[in-house]
Amino acid sequence: HVQLVESGGGSVQAGGSLRLSCAFDAYTPANVRMAWFRQAPGKEREGVAAIYTGSGARYYGDSAKGRFVISQDDATTTIHLHMTSLKLEDAAMYYCAAASSEPGREVIRKWGWAFAYWGQGTQVTVS
Protein backbone atom coordinates (compact mmCIF):
# COMPACT_ATOMS: atom_id res chain seq x y z
CA HIS A 1 0.00 0.00 0.00
CA VAL A 2 1.29 3.46 -0.91
CA GLN A 3 0.35 6.77 0.64
CA LEU A 4 1.42 10.05 -0.88
CA VAL A 5 1.06 13.51 0.66
CA GLU A 6 1.78 16.64 -1.35
CA SER A 7 2.63 20.08 0.00
CA GLY A 8 4.07 23.38 -1.18
CA GLY A 9 1.43 24.67 -3.55
CA GLY A 10 0.23 28.25 -3.45
CA SER A 11 -0.11 31.46 -5.38
CA VAL A 12 2.78 33.02 -7.23
CA GLN A 13 3.27 35.74 -9.81
CA ALA A 14 4.30 34.84 -13.33
CA GLY A 15 8.05 34.43 -13.46
CA GLY A 16 8.22 33.28 -9.86
CA SER A 17 9.17 29.96 -8.33
CA LEU A 18 7.64 27.29 -6.13
CA ARG A 19 8.81 24.01 -4.69
CA LEU A 20 6.36 21.17 -4.30
CA SER A 21 7.07 18.22 -2.04
CA CYS A 22 5.64 14.71 -1.88
CA ALA A 23 6.16 12.52 1.13
CA PHE A 24 5.59 8.82 0.66
CA ASP A 25 5.14 6.44 3.52
CA ALA A 26 7.57 3.90 4.83
CA TYR A 27 5.64 1.02 3.33
CA THR A 28 6.44 2.22 -0.14
CA PRO A 29 9.08 -0.09 -1.56
CA ALA A 30 12.51 1.33 -2.17
CA ASN A 31 13.45 2.04 -5.79
CA VAL A 32 10.08 3.37 -6.80
CA ARG A 33 9.06 5.28 -9.86
CA MET A 34 7.56 8.58 -8.74
CA ALA A 35 6.16 11.45 -10.75
CA TRP A 36 4.38 14.75 -10.75
CA PHE A 37 1.30 15.23 -12.87
CA ARG A 38 -0.91 18.27 -13.20
CA GLN A 39 -4.46 18.89 -14.25
CA ALA A 40 -6.04 22.20 -15.14
CA PRO A 41 -9.83 22.61 -15.32
CA GLY A 42 -11.21 21.05 -18.47
CA LYS A 43 -7.91 19.45 -19.43
CA GLU A 44 -6.48 15.97 -19.19
CA ARG A 45 -3.98 15.04 -16.51
CA GLU A 46 -0.50 15.81 -17.85
CA GLY A 47 2.79 14.23 -16.88
CA VAL A 48 5.22 16.90 -15.70
CA ALA A 49 8.28 15.04 -14.38
CA ALA A 50 9.30 11.64 -13.09
CA ILE A 51 12.14 10.08 -11.17
CA TYR A 52 13.27 6.53 -10.48
CA THR A 53 14.45 6.68 -6.90
CA GLY A 54 16.76 3.70 -7.35
CA SER A 55 19.03 5.26 -9.97
CA GLY A 56 17.97 8.89 -9.85
CA ALA A 57 17.06 8.83 -13.54
CA ARG A 58 14.76 11.74 -14.39
CA TYR A 59 12.24 12.35 -17.12
CA TYR A 60 10.36 15.51 -18.07
CA GLY A 61 7.30 16.48 -20.01
CA ASP A 62 7.74 19.10 -22.71
CA SER A 63 6.15 21.80 -20.58
CA ALA A 64 8.68 21.27 -17.80
CA LYS A 65 11.94 21.03 -19.70
CA GLY A 66 14.37 23.78 -18.80
CA ARG A 67 12.18 25.22 -16.03
CA PHE A 68 11.33 22.43 -13.59
CA VAL A 69 13.58 20.01 -11.75
CA ILE A 70 12.46 16.84 -9.98
CA SER A 71 14.63 15.63 -7.14
CA GLN A 72 14.63 13.16 -4.27
CA ASP A 73 15.67 13.63 -0.69
CA ASP A 74 17.86 10.64 0.16
CA ALA A 75 17.49 11.29 3.87
CA THR A 76 13.72 11.02 3.77
CA THR A 77 11.13 9.41 1.57
CA THR A 78 10.33 12.68 -0.17
CA ILE A 79 10.51 13.93 -3.71
CA HIS A 80 10.37 17.56 -4.79
CA LEU A 81 9.43 19.52 -7.86
CA HIS A 82 11.33 22.78 -8.16
CA MET A 83 9.44 25.06 -10.52
CA THR A 84 10.94 28.27 -11.88
CA SER A 85 9.90 30.85 -14.47
CA LEU A 86 6.29 29.98 -13.82
CA LYS A 87 3.78 30.88 -16.50
CA LEU A 88 0.05 31.45 -16.38
CA GLU A 89 -0.44 28.10 -18.11
CA ASP A 90 1.35 26.29 -15.28
CA ALA A 91 -1.63 26.94 -13.01
CA ALA A 92 -3.19 23.58 -12.13
CA MET A 93 -3.70 21.00 -9.43
CA TYR A 94 -0.43 19.13 -9.08
CA TYR A 95 -0.50 15.47 -8.10
CA CYS A 96 2.22 13.20 -6.87
CA ALA A 97 2.05 9.66 -8.24
CA ALA A 98 3.75 6.33 -7.72
CA ALA A 99 4.02 3.60 -10.32
CA SER A 100 2.88 0.11 -9.48
CA SER A 101 2.28 -3.22 -11.18
CA GLU A 102 -0.46 -4.08 -8.71
CA PRO A 103 -3.34 -5.57 -10.68
CA GLY A 104 -6.81 -4.12 -10.68
CA ARG A 105 -5.87 -0.51 -10.20
CA GLU A 106 -6.73 2.22 -12.69
CA VAL A 107 -3.51 3.68 -14.05
CA ILE A 108 -2.16 6.52 -16.15
CA ARG A 109 0.75 5.48 -18.35
CA LYS A 110 3.64 7.83 -18.98
CA TRP A 111 7.36 7.35 -19.63
CA GLY A 112 6.72 3.60 -19.93
CA TRP A 113 5.42 3.33 -16.38
CA ALA A 114 1.93 2.77 -15.01
CA PHE A 115 1.08 5.23 -12.25
CA ALA A 116 -1.46 3.69 -9.92
CA TYR A 117 -1.20 5.61 -6.66
CA TRP A 118 -2.02 9.28 -6.28
CA GLY A 119 -1.92 11.97 -3.66
CA GLN A 120 -4.76 14.39 -3.02
CA GLY A 121 -3.10 17.17 -4.98
CA THR A 122 -1.78 20.63 -4.22
CA GLN A 123 -3.03 23.72 -6.03
CA VAL A 124 -0.67 26.03 -7.91
CA THR A 125 -2.04 29.41 -8.94
CA VAL A 126 -0.09 31.76 -11.22
CA SER A 127 -1.20 35.33 -11.78
Side-chain angles (χ1 to χ4, degrees):
H1 182 66
V2 176
Q3 289 188 328
L4 308 170
V5 179
E6 302 100 334
S7 61
S11 296
V12 64
Q13 290 189 334
S17 301
L18 277 177
R19 188 182 80 159
L20 307 183
S21 298
C22 173
F24 49 99
D25 67 15
Y27 293 98
T28 307
N31 301 329
V32 296
R33 292 158 177 82
M34 305 288 295
W36 288 97
F37 285 73
R38 69 186 184 186
Q39 189 167 19
K43 295 188 177 182
E44 292 186 355
R45 195 163 293 192
E46 172 192 7
V48 177
I51 188 167
Y52 175 44
T53 62
S55 67
R58 308 175 191 187
Y59 307 87
Y60 294 95
D62 290 340
S63 63
K65 291 177 181 177
R67 298 188 300 127
F68 297 178
V69 175
I70 189 169
S71 65
Q72 62 183 93
D73 186 339
D74 290 336
T76 65
T77 49
T78 304
I79 63 167
H80 307 284
L81 183 68
H82 306 259
M83 305 188 293
T84 62
S85 302
L86 283 161
K87 304 175 182 179
L88 295 177
E89 52 263 42
D90 293 318
M93 186 71 79
Y94 283 70
Y95 297 92
C96 180
S100 173
S101 58
E102 182 178 336
R105 296 191 66 87
E106 186 173 345
V107 301
I108 293 179
R109 299 183 185 279
K110 180 72 175 177
W111 299 292
W113 302 337
F115 292 94
Y117 288 96
W118 300 86
Q120 292 300 306
T122 185
Q123 183 70 45
V124 172
T125 302
V126 184
S127 60

